[in-house]
């Protein structure tokens, strides 16, 4: 029996590509399905939420999740990763120490933001280190019915942001929290504001004028939204003139 994206609780964005919006923090989890793979983008804010994403993704794909990309090292995107078992995990190069040494900081940030302390502790204790770090661009899925490009965008929302690009008509770009629709982009102590506008310029180059851009939080947006947010960030951090 074929299960549709909507029946599995996902929003279909293109052939074989979709996402779901998770409760509480309105965080995005993405799914890319090919002939013999099911690739997830970000994993939710707890082990329980990660397990729900896993189960919904596997029901739709008809197979176990075969890989995961983590767009950045914040609890609401990485705390569900351990629920996916042995699937390989990709992250941006440079973030190794954050995953190796960041459990206490992630736990504290999760609790500050309202996650139940017991759930936060369980996820922090089970935190999985990525096995693959993307230095520039890593291509996956070729020959399996769907290309996936993992792109190390550089500093912006954090010091080590990763985008996931699915070329096609339309091209879909999972932006992580470099882009936010449901509120103003959040700049915590690990943000690099002076380089954030350039990161959005890179996203626009990757997705093009007709791209579908998936923010880390909120509704899917278009290139014009990215340009406006890029110019707002440039003004906010005193970087340069607006884009044309």
């Amino acid at each position: 029996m074929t299960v549709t994206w909507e029946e599995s609780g996902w929003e279909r964005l293109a052939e074989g590509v979709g996402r779901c919006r998770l409760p509480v923090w309105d965080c995005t989890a993405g799914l890319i399905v090919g002939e013999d793979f099911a690739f997830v983008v970000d994993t939710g804010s707890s082990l329980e939420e990660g397990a729900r994403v896993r189960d919904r993704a596997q029901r739709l794909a008809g197979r176990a999740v075969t890989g995961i990309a983590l767009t950045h090292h914040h609890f609401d995107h990485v705390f569900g990763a351990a629920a996916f078992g042995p699937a390989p995990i990709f992250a941006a190069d440079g973030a190794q120490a954050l995953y190796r040494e960041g459990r206490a900081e992630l736990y504290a940030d999760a609790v500050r933001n309202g996650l139940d302390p017991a759930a936060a502790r369980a996820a922090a204790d089970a935190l999985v280190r990525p096995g693959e770090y993307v230095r520039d661009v890593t291509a996956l899925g070729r020959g399996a019915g769907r290309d996936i490009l993992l792109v190390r965008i550089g500093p912006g929302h954090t010091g080590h942001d990763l985008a996931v690009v699915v070329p096609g008509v339309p091209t879909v770009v999972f932006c992580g929290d470099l882009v936010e629709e449901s509120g103003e982009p959040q700049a915590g102590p690990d943000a690099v504001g002076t380089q954030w506008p350039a990161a959005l310029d890179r996203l626009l180059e990757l997705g093009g004028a007709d791209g579908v851009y998936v923010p880390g939080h909120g509704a899917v947006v278009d290139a014009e939204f990215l340009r406006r947010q890029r110019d707002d960030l440039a003004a906010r951090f005193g970087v340069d003139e607006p884009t044309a």
Side-chain angles (χ1 to χ4, degrees):
M1 176 180 172
T2 301
V3 179
T4 68
W5 290 87
E6 291 74 18
E7 288 171 339
S8 294
W10 296 79
E11 176 186 358
R12 183 181 180 276
L13 304 175
E15 182 65 32
V17 187
R19 69 85 176 255
C20 62
R21 292 169 71 169
L22 303 174
V24 184
W25 292 282
D26 194 18
C27 188
T28 284
L31 175 63
I32 306 157
V33 179
E35 292 176 3
D36 58 3
F37 68 85
F39 195 81
V40 166
V41 183
D42 288 338
T43 61
S45 61
S46 67
L47 295 174
E48 181 181 2
E49 190 163 69
R52 289 198 297 270
V53 172
R54 178 201 66 208
D55 292 347
R56 290 163 64 182
Q58 292 180 168
R59 179 169 179 255
L60 178 58
R63 61 179 60 87
V65 170
T66 57
I68 297 166
L70 300 176
T71 60
H72 62 290
H73 183 260
H74 285 167
F75 82 91
D76 49 335
H77 297 260
V78 307
F79 261 5
F84 288 80
I89 300 176
F90 297 80
D93 188 48
Q96 288 89 330
L98 297 173
Y99 289 96
R100 186 173 61 247
E101 303 165 5
R103 295 173 191 267
E105 183 177 345
L106 281 172
Y107 168 80
D109 187 47
V111 172
R112 270 196 308 271
N113 280 279
L115 185 62
D116 173 75
R121 173 54 60 200
D125 288 347
L127 184 67
V128 178
R129 298 182 195 173
E132 304 285 344
Y133 289 91
V134 178
R135 293 186 177 182
D136 184 18
V137 179
T138 296
L140 303 173
R142 292 186 173 170
R146 172 63 68 189
D147 289 353
I148 304 172
L149 302 178
L150 309 182
V151 184
R152 181 174 176 244
I153 296 296
H157 175 67
T158 72
H160 312 285
D161 292 305
L162 186 75
V164 179
V165 182
V166 189
V169 181
T171 292
V172 179
V173 183
F174 291 93
C175 306
D177 287 2
L178 286 166
V179 179
E180 296 196 41
E181 185 276 335
S182 54
E184 182 176 291
Q186 297 300 300
D190 56 347
V192 185
T194 56
Q195 297 188 52
W196 200 333
L200 267 64
D201 287 337
R202 182 91 188 277
L203 292 176
L204 286 163
E205 291 173 1
L206 291 165
D210 298 321
V212 172
Y213 297 90
V214 188
H217 302 265
V220 171
V221 299
D222 59 12
E224 181 56 33
F225 181 95
L226 250 69
R227 292 188 193 99
R228 292 196 303 270
Q229 192 154 99
R230 182 257 182 227
D231 292 344
D232 289 345
L233 287 165
R236 179 176 171 185
F237 295 110
V239 176
D240 58 9
E241 294 298 320
T243 55

